[in-house]
Amino acid sequence: MKILIINQHSKNHGDEAAGLALIRKLYKEGYTNISVSYNMDFPCNDRCKLKYKDIKHITPIRLNRFNYKALVLFNKYPYFLTWILCMCSNELRKEYYHIKNSDIIISASGGVNLGLYHDERYLWKLLITKRLKKKYAIYSPSIGPFGDDKNYLLRVKEVLSSASFLSLRDQKSYLYAEQLHVPFIKSIDTAFLEEHSATKLPEELNPFMFNKFVIIVPNQLYNWHPSFRDIFNIEKIDTFYIQLISIFNNRGFRVVLLPQLYEQGDKNDEIYFKKLKGTNENVTVISTQYSSDIQQKIFEKADFVIGARYHSIIFAINSNTPFCCLSYEHKMSDMLELLDLKEFSIEIKNAFEDNETAYLKILEMFDKKDFLSEKLLTSTPKARKIASDCFTLLCENIL
C-alpha cells in the first residue's frame, strides 16, 4: 500500500515532531511505503526533511504566476476546462501524478491552512484527491475561520465532507465543522502520539543541564501571522521578551531560548533569539540543528516554560514540565481547555498591550508550578490517550 502524506509543514521543529510521530506510528503498524509531500516552495536543504528510515521525499516545485492562477481558478470552478488548464503546467501535473499513483492520502496535522491562511495550493491538492476518488484522511489539523468568501467556504465543505476520515485537534475547529454540518472525530495534536524519554542529549548540551533554567520560546508574530503583521510595534514586542528574560535572570535562572523555525532570512528563530540575547551571558540560544526529539529532552529538564509557540506548550505537556502559554490562536487556548489547563494561559495580545500585568501573571504561574506539575500527571496521559485513540480510528477507517 502506497501512502502519501500531504501538507507536511517543515522548517519548524513543532511540525517536525508531529510528522515524525505519525510516521513512526504508521511504521509500527506495518505501513512502510510512505512518501511525504511538503507544504512549502523549497526546503532550504536536506535538514528540512523528516528523517526516518526509508521514507520518500517529494520536494515542492515553485509555482510561477500562471500556474498559481490556474490552480486558483480550478479551486473556484473545479470543472473539466480548469482541470485541463492545470494539467498544462508541468509543476501541477507532477503533483497530480504523485496523488494519482498513491493508494491512500493522509493530510498531515497542521495550522489553519483551510481557513485563516487560505492556502490555495493545499485546497487544490485536496480537490484533486477527491476528483481522483482516492481514500483520504484529513488528520487532526485546525480549521477556520473562513471569512465571507462563500465560494471558498463551499470548496472547504466539499473536501472536508468527502474525506474518508476527518479528525480535528481543537474545540474552535469542532465548532467550525459543526457549523458546516461536517462529521468529524475529536482529537488533539499528533505530537502527543509518542514520548521521547529514551532520547539522549548530545554531550555538548549536558553542561548547563545540571543548573536551574527556564525555557522561553518567543514568537516573532509580526513577521508572519496575518493577524499581527500591522497591529503591534515591533520594538514593543521585542522589549517584552527581553524584559521577561531579565525577570528570570534576576531570580537566579539561566534562560534557554529554543528556536522553532529554521527558515532562511527573517523567519529564522535562531537569528531572532540571538538578537534578543544580545550580550547577556545568562542566556543560551540552542542551535536549530538539534531535532525535535532533542528539544523535547531539554524540555524535560527545565524548571519552567514560557511558550509563545503552539508546539512549545505541547512539548512542555509531553515532558510534564510546568508552563505559561502565551496564546496567539484558538488552537492553543482550546487545547489547554480540553486538558483542563487553560488557567495557565495568557492571550498574547493582552500581554503585549500591558506588559506589567502579564509579567505578574507569568510569575504567579511560576510560583504555582508544583500545583501544575500535579495536574500534568492527569492531563498528559489524557492528551496521549486522545491522540492514540484517534490513530486507532484512522487505522480502522482508512488503512
Side-chain angles (χ1 to χ4, degrees):
M1 178 186 294
K2 293 182 179 180
I3 296 176
L4 173 62
I5 295 175
I6 64 171
N7 199 42
Q8 175 60 52
H9 290 253
S10 187
K11 307 179 187 177
N12 183 325
H13 286 302
D15 293 315
E16 173 191 351
L20 285 173
L22 174 60
I23 289 168
R24 287 167 177 158
K25 289 289 284 187
L26 288 170
Y27 260 76
K28 287 179 181 178
E29 294 296 321
Y31 303 105
T32 59
N33 190 351
I34 299 174
S35 298
V36 180
S37 175
Y38 295 91
N39 184 299
M40 66 187 76
D41 286 331
F42 293 102
C44 301
N45 50 47
D46 193 58
R47 169 69 188 86
C48 297
K49 300 174 183 177
L50 300 182
K51 302 292 190 304
Y52 192 70
K53 296 190 177 180
D54 57 352
I55 61 172
K56 306 168 190 69
H57 306 280
I58 300 171
T59 304
I61 303 165
R62 187 182 297 278
L63 298 177
N64 61 33
R65 187 175 297 178
F66 168 79
N67 297 337
Y68 184 74
K69 285 185 175 180
L71 72 83
V72 170
L73 192 60
F74 178 83
N75 288 350
K76 288 184 178 180
Y77 310 106
Y79 307 122
F80 181 74
L81 290 178
T82 51
W83 176 76
I84 291 294
L85 188 64
C86 289
M87 291 304 98
C88 290
S89 160
N90 288 333
E91 291 82 1
L92 294 177
R93 192 162 60 249
K94 287 177 182 177
E95 293 191 341
Y96 171 86
Y97 280 110
H98 283 308
I99 295 171
K100 183 176 181 180
N101 294 329
S102 300
D103 299 309
I104 299 292
I105 314 298
I106 300 177
S107 176
S109 176
V112 285
N113 295 88
L114 288 179
L116 183 63
Y117 301 162
H118 213 102
D119 187 339
E120 296 282 3
R121 189 169 188 166
Y122 172 50
L123 178 58
W124 181 80
K125 288 181 180 180
L126 290 175
L127 286 169
I128 288 297
T129 301
K130 176 181 177 293
R131 181 187 183 93
L132 289 168
K133 299 180 180 179
K134 296 288 182 178
K135 291 183 69 176
Y136 67 98
I138 300 176
Y139 191 68
S140 302
S142 297
I143 61 171
F146 300 111
D148 299 324
D149 187 337
K150 292 182 180 180
N151 188 74
Y152 178 73
L153 187 60
L154 181 66
R155 298 298 168 230
V156 168
K157 182 174 182 178
E158 181 181 344
V159 296
L160 291 176
S161 59
S162 299
S164 305
F165 182 85
L166 170 63
S167 57
L168 300 171
R169 67 182 180 181
D170 59 77
Q171 296 187 66
K172 187 64 71 66
S173 295
Y174 304 162
L175 177 61
Y176 289 132
E178 288 168 355
Q179 290 172 346
L180 292 173
H181 304 289
V182 173
F184 64 93
I185 301 297
K186 294 182 179 181
S187 185
I188 202 164
D189 193 84
T190 312
F192 284 120
L193 271 175
E194 59 178 0
E195 302 176 49
H196 297 274
S197 57
T199 303
K200 292 184 179 180
L201 284 175
E203 290 185 7
E204 66 270 20
L205 293 181
N206 278 321
F208 75 85
M209 292 296 163
F210 296 101
N211 301 315
K212 296 192 303 180
F213 71 93
V214 168
I215 292 173
I216 299 179
V217 183
N219 191 338
Q220 206 173 0
L221 287 158
Y222 53 78
N223 236 10
W224 67 276
H225 197 284
S227 299
F228 288 84
R229 283 179 183 148
D230 302 316
I231 294 180
F232 292 106
N233 179 281
I234 291 174
E235 184 178 349
K236 186 175 182 180
I237 292 178
D238 294 350
T239 300
F240 170 81
Y241 293 127
I242 292 169
Q243 291 180 353
L244 184 61
I245 290 168
S246 296
I247 287 170
F248 281 93
N249 283 162
N250 292 337
R251 283 201 166 201
F253 287 88
R254 171 166 287 278
V255 170
V256 173
L257 302 179
L258 266 176
Q260 296 297 291
L261 290 189
Y262 43 94
E263 294 194 36
Q264 293 176 330
D266 61 356
K267 292 184 180 178
N268 186 303
D269 275 357
E270 187 174 350
I271 295 171
Y272 178 55
F273 290 5
K274 286 179 178 178
K275 172 187 170 184
L276 297 177
K277 168 185 167 65
T279 59
N280 189 338
E281 295 182 355
N282 292 315
V283 175
T284 299
V285 178
I286 301 296
S287 171
T288 57
Q289 69 174 314
Y290 297 110
S291 69
S292 56
D293 290 344
I294 292 173
Q295 284 206 354
Q296 293 196 72
K297 194 65 179 179
I298 296 173
F299 271 82
E300 287 180 12
K301 297 181 178 296
D303 290 86
F304 194 68
V305 173
I306 303 103
R309 282 200 176 276
Y310 177 60
H311 280 97
S312 67
I313 302 305
I314 290 175
F315 289 179
I317 296 170
N318 228 3
S319 305
N320 291 303
T321 303
F323 62 86
C324 169
C325 171
L326 299 175
S327 175
Y328 65 86
E329 269 183 12
H330 63 77
K331 63 184 180 184
M332 301 176 79
S333 56
D334 285 0
M335 174 191 68
L336 295 180
E337 185 173 349
L338 178 66
L339 299 176
D340 193 27
L341 296 171
K342 196 170 182 180
E343 63 187 293
F344 299 97
S345 177
I346 299 172
E347 289 295 324
I348 201 167
K349 285 185 180 181
N350 298 338
F352 290 152
E353 290 170 350
D354 186 353
N355 292 181
E356 295 307 317
T357 299
Y359 297 146
L360 289 173
K361 288 183 178 179
I362 291 169
L363 289 174
E364 181 182 339
M365 293 178 200
F366 175 80
D367 291 335
K368 292 172 63 178
K369 59 185 173 61
D370 291 339
F371 168 70
L372 176 53
S373 294
E374 291 182 9
K375 291 201 72 171
L376 287 172
L377 294 175
T378 301
S379 297
T380 302
K382 179 180 179 180
R384 291 179 182 148
K385 184 179 187 307
I386 294 170
S388 179
D389 288 349
C390 183
F391 180 79
T392 298
L393 289 172
L394 172 74
C395 293
E396 291 175 351
N397 284 275
I398 193 170
L399 298 176

